[in-house]
């Protein structure tokens, strides 16, 4: 991340309301089945091969009938467990794409900052986990050190979101923006854009002699929220849909509140190994197909996140 002024210039005010995101809570009561079930049903390879985009898939995926998805399934409403089933924005989009491709998207839970590694080790074929498409990830660069740590990945961009700050209900420390976190403690999920922003802001705070930010990073966002709820920090940060969902649902809406504006608005991407361009292009085609047939818009409306919709599917559109 860059200097504070760059971050402020990226700030956006979005019209996506917290109440709209909260519709997800009610939907949990009527959520249908595990979205990772085979979209092709029990028809086997013959039925799968009738899917409109089946022929675009690599032969290995066609034969397996499965695309293995690395995901940190603890990030409501994007992906999370409900009664043992994987539900959320990402699983719904994946299931819709599965109908176009004739294969199952099988979500495999993992720690967020190890998901790209799971592509290199071939444990997963793609990563779909509210992962921001950034140049560093495209190029395999550690955003904290600036050092090359891998070959990087390609992204198929499918959603847009910014980063938000949330505090204890009532905002007792009067946090209004990132500058107000100087000299204080905050919680984030490890390896996320929020984590990068917190570390970058802490350096700015030290330059201004305001005291660094003590950043406590957790394996998942739910753990970070628990820490904040228990009084272990003054604020947390996560992607806007996730922060808004937590504000509306945690403690029946009595635990947290959103403060300030979103910053760093940018695309979520489906990550694919750079040497797997055939799969990348098949995913892109499937996403374009569900945008065209209206399924994509229906899914975003279901979860109350229509303002995050993309109209053009880009590869490596992040900066």
């Amino acid at each position: 991340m860059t200097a504070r002024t760059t971050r402020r210039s990226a700030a956006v005010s979005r019209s996506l309301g917290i109440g709209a995101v909260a519709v997800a809570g009610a939907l949990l009561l009527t959520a249908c089945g595990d979205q990772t079930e085979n979209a092709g049903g029990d028809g086997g390879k013959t039925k799968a091969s009738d899917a409109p985009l089946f022929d675009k898939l690599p032969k290995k995926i066609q034969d397996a009938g499965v695309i293995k998805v690395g995901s940190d399934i603890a990030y409501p409403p994007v992906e999370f467990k409900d009664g043992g089933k994987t539900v959320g924005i990402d699983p719904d989009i994946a299931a819709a794409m599965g109908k176009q491709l004739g294969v199952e998207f099988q979500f495999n839970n993992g720690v967020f900052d190890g998901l790209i590694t799971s592509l290199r080790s071939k444990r997963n074929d793609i990563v779909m986990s509210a992962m921001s498409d950034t140049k560093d990830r495209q190029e395999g660069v550690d955003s904290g050190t600036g050092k090359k740590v891998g070959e990087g990945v390609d992204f198929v961009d499918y959603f847009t979101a910014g980063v938000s700050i949330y505090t204890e209900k009532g905002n007792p420390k009067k946090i209004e923006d990132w500058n107000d976190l100087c000299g204080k403690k905050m919680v984030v999920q490890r390896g996320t854009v929020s984590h990068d922003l917190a570390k970058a802001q802490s350096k700015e705070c030290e330059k201004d002699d305001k005291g660094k930010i003590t950043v406590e990073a957790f394996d998942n966002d739910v753990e970070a929220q628990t820490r904040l709820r228990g009084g272990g920090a003054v604020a947390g940060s996560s992607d806007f849909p996730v922060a808004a969902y937590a504000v509306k649902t945690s403690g029946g809406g009595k635990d947290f509140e959103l403060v300030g504006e979103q910053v760093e608005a940018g695309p979520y991407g489906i990550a694919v190994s750079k040497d797997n361009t055939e799969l990348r292009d098949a995913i892109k085609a499937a996403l374009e197909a569900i945008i065209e047939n209206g399924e994509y818009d229906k899914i975003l409306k279901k979860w109350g996140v229509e303002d995050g919709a993309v109209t053009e599917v880009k590869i490596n559109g992040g900066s």
Side-chain angles (χ1 to χ4, degrees):
M1 297 301 157
T2 52
R4 178 174 50 205
T5 52
T6 301
R7 204 157 54 240
R8 293 302 172 266
S9 68
V12 293
S13 243
R14 301 172 67 83
S15 59
L16 176 59
I18 299 174
V21 174
V23 71
L27 286 163
L28 293 183
L29 299 176
T30 56
C32 53
D34 190 339
Q35 297 299 320
T36 62
E37 292 174 358
N38 194 332
D42 297 324
K45 187 179 294 185
T46 301
K47 187 171 183 179
S49 65
D50 290 338
L53 300 177
F54 182 79
D55 290 343
K56 287 187 172 291
L57 289 166
K59 182 66 162 54
K60 181 179 178 181
I61 298 292
Q62 290 178 350
D63 291 343
V66 171
I67 293 175
K68 294 178 289 184
V69 184
S71 189
D72 175 15
I73 309 175
Y75 209 54
V78 186
E79 52 259 317
F80 59 107
K81 292 288 187 180
D82 176 42
K85 297 174 181 178
T86 302
V87 299
I89 300 165
D90 282 359
D92 280 357
I93 290 174
M97 291 193 298
K99 294 176 184 176
Q100 298 296 316
L101 295 166
V103 295
E104 172 190 0
F105 280 70
Q106 182 185 83
F107 277 69
N108 301 316
N109 198 20
V111 177
F112 184 82
D113 60 0
L115 293 178
I116 288 180
T117 301
S118 78
L119 296 181
R120 294 199 292 267
S121 66
K122 309 298 183 183
R123 292 197 307 274
N124 291 302
D125 301 308
I126 67 173
V127 170
M128 193 172 185
S129 192
M131 181 172 283
S132 295
D133 172 3
T134 66
K135 287 294 184 185
D136 283 348
R137 286 176 175 146
Q138 293 169 23
E139 297 170 1
V141 172
D142 184 303
S143 58
T145 65
K147 295 181 179 178
K148 184 84 170 175
V149 293
E151 65 271 26
V153 295
D154 284 337
F155 285 101
V156 180
D157 297 338
Y158 68 101
F159 189 75
T160 301
V163 173
S164 294
I165 299 170
Y166 60 99
T167 68
E168 179 185 343
K169 191 75 170 182
N171 192 11
K173 299 299 182 181
K174 307 303 178 187
I175 306 297
E176 297 299 333
D177 59 28
W178 287 85
N179 287 318
D180 293 335
L181 293 169
C182 295
K184 298 179 177 65
K185 185 176 182 178
M186 70 176 301
V187 292
V188 296
Q189 181 176 359
R190 186 179 295 108
T192 60
V193 171
S194 289
H195 194 187
D196 293 340
L197 281 169
K199 289 185 288 186
Q201 180 63 49
S202 183
K203 292 178 181 178
E204 294 296 323
C205 291
E206 289 188 279
K207 287 179 184 178
D208 295 339
D209 295 322
K210 294 180 179 179
K212 69 177 184 179
I213 301 172
T214 301
V215 182
E216 189 170 2
F218 293 85
D219 284 344
N220 62 65
D221 205 67
V222 174
E223 292 176 356
Q225 292 170 20
T226 300
R227 181 67 164 166
L228 178 59
R229 192 182 300 111
V234 302
S237 176
S238 59
D239 293 351
F240 175 76
V242 177
Y245 184 85
V247 166
K248 185 64 181 182
T249 61
S250 181
K254 297 178 180 179
D255 288 341
F256 305 130
E257 70 177 72
L258 285 172
V259 297
E261 295 181 321
Q262 289 184 69
V263 299
E264 294 293 319
Y268 285 172
I270 300 168
V272 188
S273 294
K274 285 190 176 293
D275 61 0
N276 205 349
T277 55
E278 191 175 7
L279 178 58
R280 179 200 68 192
D281 293 346
I283 294 290
K284 180 176 185 289
L287 184 57
E288 289 171 336
I290 66 170
I291 290 174
E292 178 67 23
N293 70 17
E295 285 299 306
Y296 174 80
D297 286 340
K298 288 179 182 177
I299 291 165
L300 298 193
K301 184 175 182 180
K302 167 185 172 180
W303 292 101
V305 293
E306 300 97 314
D307 278 12
V310 299
T311 55
E312 178 186 0
V313 181
K314 296 181 179 179
I315 292 176
N316 297 332
S319 58

